[in-house]
Amino acid sequence: MPDGPAPPPTVQKLRIRYAKRGRLRFTSHRDIQRAFERALRRARVPMAYSAGFTPHPKVSWAGAAPTGVASEAEYVEIGVTRALVPAELAAALDGSLPADLDILEVVEAATPNLMERLEASVWEIRLPGVEPKAAFDAVAAFVAAPEVLVERMTKNGVRTFDARAAVTAMEAAGGESDGAEPAADGAGSAGGVRDAAEGDGVSAGESGVGEGDGRQDRPCAILRLVVRHLTPAVRPDDVLTGLGRVAGLVPPVPPQVTRLAQGPLRDGSDATPASVSVEALSDPLDPDRVAAGSAGER
C-alpha cells in the first residue's frame, strides 16, 4: 500500500450530457477525455480520486460515439468530494471546454446503472450526392431482409455479424437542399420508410455540418434509424455497408453522421418505435430527475 492518507471520499456523483459538434466530430475519444480532464482542472472542480499508487480522477464514460461522428447525446459521470449545484457546474465546465464541445445538462446521479439504460441510439446520416429515391429503395430492401451480414476488422480479426438485427426502425427522407421528393411509397417492416422532405431531425448546422458544406443544388438523402446497442456494436457505417450489400447504395462522398439521442427504448421493450426520432427513446436522465425531486419533497 502507498504511504500517506487515503484520498477524500466521493460525496456526490454527477451525470453530464454533452454534445460533440462541428469539426470536433473528427476528434478521438481519447482526445475528448483529455479535453474534459483539462476543463475539470480549469473549472476547479473538486474531483474525487481513486486510491493506490496511480490515483485517477473518478470519471466514467458511457457509450462514446465513434471518431468522425457528431453527437447531441454523449454521457459522462464524475465523482466529487464536495456537493455542487449541477447548473453551476454546467456553466463553469462549459466555459472551460473548447468550442463545439458543449455541456447540455448536468444532473445529480440519484440512481444506479446509467450505462444499462443506454439501450439504443437514434442516428441521422446525411448522404450528399445520393438521390432520395435511391436511399428510399435501399432502406426498403434493408428492412425487408431477414438478415444483413457485414464484416468488420476487430482486434481479434475479421468478424461477421448481422447489421439488420440491431435496427429497430429506419426511414429515408430528402434533404433540405435537394428540392425533390422520393418517388416511391410504402413502408418497411422495421418502423417504415417515408418520403418527407420535412422531418423531425435537426438542421444541417445542428448536425455538425457547416453551411458551406457541398453545393446547394445537388441531391442529399437523409437516413434516420434507431439502433439497439448489441454486442458487437452495430455502428452507422455498418448499416451503410449493409445498404450497399442489399441494394448497391454507395455514397459518392463520406456521409455526415450525427447521434441525436441515446437511452432506453420506449416502454422498456425493443418493439418497433412509432417514429424514427428522438421520441423513440426515453431520456436516460429522467430517473435521476424523478429521484432528486422525490428527495427534495421529503
Side-chain angles (χ1 to χ4, degrees), residues 133-295:
K133 173 63 165 62
F136 185 94
D137 292 343
V139 168
F142 185 94
V143 300
E147 68 175 10
V148 179
L149 298 180
V150 299
E151 294 180 347
R152 186 202 302 157
M153 177 62 71
T154 70
K155 61 182 180 181
N156 297 320
V158 177
R159 186 166 184 177
T160 302
F161 55 95
D162 182 11
R164 175 65 186 83
V167 178
T168 67
M170 190 176 186
E171 69 180 14
E176 292 85 348
S177 63
D178 59 63
E181 298 284 340
D185 55 25
S189 61
V193 290
R194 69 179 184 182
D195 53 349
E198 77 283 352
D200 45 24
V202 295
S203 69
E206 291 171 319
S207 298
V209 182
E211 293 181 358
D213 288 3
R215 301 192 315 271
Q216 291 299 309
D217 59 342
R218 70 178 177 182
C220 178
I222 297 176
L223 306 181
R224 298 188 186 95
L225 51 156
V226 180
V227 182
R228 287 187 293 137
H229 298 168
L230 303 179
T231 302
V234 173
R235 304 181 305 204
D237 56 312
D238 299 320
V239 176
L240 289 174
T241 299
L243 290 169
R245 289 279 176 86
V246 300
L249 181 69
V250 179
V253 297
Q256 299 156 350
V257 183
T258 301
R259 172 149 56 194
L260 303 180
Q262 60 175 324
L265 287 155
R266 292 280 182 188
D267 301 323
S269 71
D270 56 4
T272 300
S275 66
V276 188
S277 72
V278 295
E279 299 302 321
L281 307 181
S282 300
D283 189 328
L285 300 181
D286 275 346
D288 296 299
R289 297 189 193 96
V290 171
S294 299

Side-chain angles (χ1 to χ4, degrees), residues 12-18 76 78 84-91 93-94 103-109 285 289:
Q12 185 187 40
K13 292 182 179 180
L14 297 133
R15 288 172 177 161
I16 302 168
R17 177 184 169 219
Y18 68 95
V76 61
I78 66 172
L84 303 175
V85 177
E88 294 177 359
L89 172 63
L93 193 55
D94 192 55
I103 302 298
L104 302 181
E105 185 177 12
V106 178
V107 302
E108 185 171 0
L285 300 181
R289 297 189 193 96

Side-chain angles (χ1 to χ4, degrees), residues 71-145:
S71 177
E72 295 294 314
E74 300 298 286
Y75 293 91
V76 61
E77 180 178 293
I78 66 172
V80 294
T81 59
R82 173 170 52 83
L84 303 175
V85 177
E88 294 177 359
L89 172 63
L93 193 55
D94 192 55
S96 300
L97 285 167
D100 292 329
L101 196 58
D102 301 318
I103 302 298
L104 302 181
E105 185 177 12
V106 178
V107 302
E108 185 171 0
T111 62
N113 304 326
L114 172 64
M115 189 66 183
E116 293 179 8
R117 297 203 289 270
L118 303 182
E119 297 175 349
S121 289
V122 178
W123 296 97
E124 179 182 272
I125 305 175
R126 304 176 72 87
L127 303 173
V130 174
E131 293 286 350
K133 173 63 165 62
F136 185 94
D137 292 343
V139 168
F142 185 94
V143 300

